[in-house]
Structure formats: structure tokens, C-alpha cells
Amino acid sequence: MNQNFTHEWTVLKVGGSILVPDGPDGEYCAQLRDLLLARVALGEKFLVVVGGGAVARSYQAALESAGIAGSEAQDYMGIHTITLNAQLLRLVFGHDAHPSVVYPQDELATT
């Protein structure tokens, strides 16, 4: 069966607690890379979305315990934790990944 995935993307959500359960899990990242690249070789395309996980929640809790409660400060910590996790995965994929973490939705059209 010849499947043509040329114009379809699969969106994959990878939770931050999976990437960084008790610290960054390089073995898991490498296994995910190998699995996805095998599928890419068959013509599939992936958009990987990562989360902040327990690390983001711990930073948010630290802000709250320091008396800095509020959605803006907590959002800031969550976004930067997500960025760190996304950079980890992007670097593991090397030249097979987009050259930078993509933030705005309008940039997705060019990838």
C-alpha cells in the first residue's frame, strides 16, 4: 500500500513530564527522534508540541509561595519552561528539526 502523506501533518503533543520526568530524559528523546524519523522517511510530517510539565508547575508554585501570584507571572514561567523543553527536543533532532523553536502560529505555514 502506497500512502502519500505529502500534504498532511500529524500533530504530536509531548508532555513536559515525559521529556523531563526527574531531569531531562535523553534516552527517551533519542527514541522519539528515531521513531519519528523512521516515519518521516515514509513520507509523514510531524509538528511536535511540547508542554512544561512538572518543572513548569514547580516554578509556578515557587512564585506563589514567594507571594507572587497572578496569571502573568505564572504564564511567563510556563512559557519559558516549555521553550526549554522544546529546545531540548529540537537539539536532539539536530538538522532534521526546524532550525528554531516556532512560536507564532503564522510561522507554521512556512515550515
Side-chain angles (χ1 to χ4, degrees), residues 6-93:
T6 312
H7 300 293
E8 296 180 19
W9 288 78
T10 299
V11 177
L12 178 64
K13 166 66 167 84
V14 180
S17 294
I18 293 174
L19 288 177
V20 186
D22 295 317
D25 189 344
E27 184 177 329
Y28 174 82
C29 292
Q31 290 173 349
L32 179 62
R33 176 198 60 213
D34 295 345
L35 173 69
L36 292 183
L37 290 180
R39 305 273 303 262
V40 167
L42 298 173
E44 293 185 63
K45 293 182 181 182
F46 292 90
L47 173 64
V48 180
V49 179
V50 299
V55 174
R57 289 187 294 278
S58 69
Y59 277 103
Q60 291 166 336
L63 286 172
E64 190 170 343
S65 69
I68 305 170
S71 63
E72 185 176 330
Q74 296 201 357
D75 286 349
Y76 180 86
M77 291 309 300
I79 289 166
H80 285 282
T81 306
I82 290 167
T83 301
L84 184 63
N85 290 344
Q87 291 290 1
L88 170 66
L89 206 52
R90 183 187 70 78
L91 292 168
V92 167
F93 273 80

